[in-house]
Amino acid sequence: MKIFSPVEIVKRYATLKNHRIYTMPIVILMPHSRCNCRCVMCDIWKGNNNLQQLEESDIEKLLSSLKTFKTKLVVMSGGEALMHPNFFGLCDILRSRKIKITILSTGLLLKKYAEEIIAKTDEVIVSLDGSQEVHDKIRNIPDTFNKLKEGVRELKNLNKEYRITARCVIQKANFKDLPNIVDAAKDIGLDQISFLNADVSTDAFNRPNLWEDEKVGEVKLSLQEVAQFKEIIENLIKTHSKDFKSGFIAESPEKLRRFYNYYAAFHGLCDFPTVTCNAPWVSTVIEADGSVRPCFFHAKIGNIRESTLTESINSPGSISFRKNLDTTTNPICKKCVCSLNLSPLAKL
């Protein structure tokens, strides 16, 4: 891992202090708007008929800003980024500037593109929603678990050191499967698994209209289920203590207990877990139509096809947004399921 220079560290502290972006270690790109799954907790797939995608010219235009901001890591998110017809061409442009690339993937195309993934990216994070039956039901596409498993094993056969981890969104359809999810991650051959709660309160993930209460109820835990969830978490902490100690489960037991608090808060049993986040100061999200957001959940602040990334994130409005954003009280931040708190001294 490359250590930041003293100048970069000073710039990162300056960004956090005065809210003008001098350095941005992480950029999240959504190269392609379509997805090859139909998950219950995400509406991205509902826009499959309205294709949007970033082109090589968009990435080329970004390079100047990425150089200025000393960007270290680009995360390819989605939809399914691997569905982009020239995905690895985009990777080539970024890697020419020695930028690391992480792919967030459903896992269905890993086997097909295994050689290119190994050659042109640095890490894959797959979505794992449960043991086989549960995962397939949530993904709403036949045989997704086995295809994910085959893809991971193909990557590992090509390079056993290549890092492949998983993220799991915990919600109504899989919370009871929690210990089996950890075991499934081991069986598949993943290096680590991490967990998130399901976002049910924002317009992220192609939800321009907020979910109705009925839809929210299909994803968040009921009052009775919240009580069950607490017990399941405590049992997991006991039965999988070695996986917490080894880091195979990315979250600590204390952090996993906060997942209970998130769902319990919807029923007035406690407050939402306190969020410590500096995502708008250390990262940005660029969507498939070129829109720029300070994170997945807050409103758009520009478009790379209308102005440079630098102009968008350092516009007077963007600086004012960061200056006035209190992540401990902002109603969107208080319910955030995907916060980022990157130290100025952190290495990528």
Side-chain angles (χ1 to χ4, degrees):
M1 295 184 185
K2 182 178 179 180
I3 300 175
F4 289 117
S5 70
V7 173
E8 289 177 82
I9 293 173
V10 169
K11 286 184 176 180
R12 293 180 73 180
Y13 275 110
T15 292
L16 296 174
K17 183 177 181 179
N18 65 29
H19 311 292
R20 174 175 289 276
I21 302 295
Y22 297 103
T23 178
M24 179 168 286
I26 302 172
V27 170
I28 298 105
L29 299 183
M30 296 180 174
H32 198 72
S33 64
R34 295 179 62 203
C35 189
N36 49 14
C37 287
R38 303 167 65 88
C39 302
V40 64
M41 66 285 187
C42 177
D43 287 347
I44 289 176
W45 59 272
K46 293 182 179 180
N48 280 0
N49 292 329
N50 181 30
L51 175 62
Q52 302 281 346
Q53 65 183 36
L54 298 176
E55 305 295 344
E56 284 193 26
S57 57
D58 295 315
I59 307 304
E60 292 280 3
K61 183 180 178 182
L62 278 176
L63 291 181
S64 177
S65 293
L66 299 185
K67 181 179 180 181
T68 297
F69 295 135
K70 304 294 184 183
T71 300
K72 307 295 182 184
L73 172 66
V74 166
V75 179
M76 298 292 202
S77 186
E80 173 54 69
L82 288 169
M83 293 177 71
H84 192 291
N86 190 29
F87 176 75
F88 295 105
L90 306 185
C91 291
D92 285 337
I93 296 172
L94 294 168
R95 285 174 70 85
S96 71
R97 299 302 176 92
K98 298 182 179 180
I99 295 173
K100 289 186 175 182
I101 298 172
T102 293
I103 306 174
L104 306 185
S105 176
T106 64
L108 300 187
L109 296 174
L110 296 184
K111 185 175 182 179
K112 180 178 181 180
Y113 295 117
E115 291 186 0
E116 293 96 328
I117 291 171
I118 293 291
K120 299 188 178 186
T121 71
D122 298 278
E123 179 186 21
V124 169
I125 303 173
V126 298
S127 297
L128 178 64
D129 293 312
S131 50
Q132 183 171 349
E133 183 178 352
V134 174
H135 180 83
D136 287 354
K137 184 176 181 180
I138 291 174
R139 294 274 130 183
N140 205 20
I141 297 290
D143 209 30
T144 51
F145 183 90
N146 284 331
K147 289 177 181 177
L148 166 60
K149 187 174 183 178
E150 290 172 2
V152 171
R153 292 189 172 177
E154 182 65 19
L155 289 173
K156 287 295 188 179
N157 285 338
L158 291 172
N159 182 352
K160 66 180 181 179
E161 301 301 323
Y162 187 86
R163 183 168 172 81
I164 313 169
T165 64
R167 284 179 180 167
C168 177
V169 176
I170 296 295
Q171 36 112 348
K172 181 186 287 287
N174 68 0
F175 78 97
K176 295 179 182 179
D177 202 38
L178 187 56
N180 297 328
I181 297 170
V182 176
D183 295 340
K186 289 182 181 178
D187 178 61
I188 290 172
L190 297 167
D191 295 304
Q192 187 183 60
I193 184 163
S194 63
F195 295 96
L196 298 171
N197 283 314
D199 172 53
V200 297
S201 60
T202 76
D203 64 357
F205 313 115
N206 195 38
R207 297 195 296 252
N209 300 312
L210 297 180
W211 279 349
E212 299 290 341
D213 289 344
E214 181 179 355
K215 175 62 178 177
V216 171
E218 294 176 5
V219 178
K220 80 173 184 180
L221 274 58
S222 68
L223 182 60
Q224 182 180 0
E225 289 168 336
V226 164
Q228 292 177 292
F229 187 36
K230 187 174 186 178
E231 184 176 341
I232 289 168
I233 291 172
E234 293 304 323
N235 285 336
L236 180 73
I237 292 170
K238 292 178 182 178
T239 60
H240 289 69
S241 59
K242 291 182 180 179
D243 295 318
F244 285 100
K245 290 178 181 177
S246 69
F248 183 78
I249 298 175
E251 288 73 29
S252 67
E254 299 310 316
K255 187 170 183 178
L256 202 62
R257 289 183 175 114
R258 289 162 55 91
F259 285 51
Y260 158 81
N261 291 354
Y262 172 79
Y263 283 118
F266 283 105
H267 299 284
L269 300 179
C270 61
D271 294 330
F272 284 96
T274 302
V275 173
T276 303
C277 180
N278 60 11
W281 290 266
V282 300
S283 66
T284 193
V285 175
I286 301 173
E287 298 179 332
D289 65 354
S291 296
V292 179
R293 292 179 183 263
C295 70
F296 284 106
F297 308 105
H298 281 286
K300 299 173 184 177
I301 57 174
N303 191 298
I304 61 169
R305 291 171 178 167
E306 298 170 1
S307 59
T308 66
L309 178 62
T310 303
E311 291 167 340
S312 291
I313 64 175
N314 276 334
S315 68
S318 296
I319 293 173
S320 177
F321 165 78
R322 290 188 291 272
K323 183 178 181 179
N324 293 293
L325 179 62
D326 182 348
T327 59
T328 63
T329 60
N330 180 274
I332 291 176
C333 296
K334 284 182 69 175
K335 297 180 181 180
C336 183
V337 300
C338 190
S339 59
L340 171 67
N341 189 33
L342 190 68
S343 165
L345 300 177
K347 305 171 188 176
L348 297 178

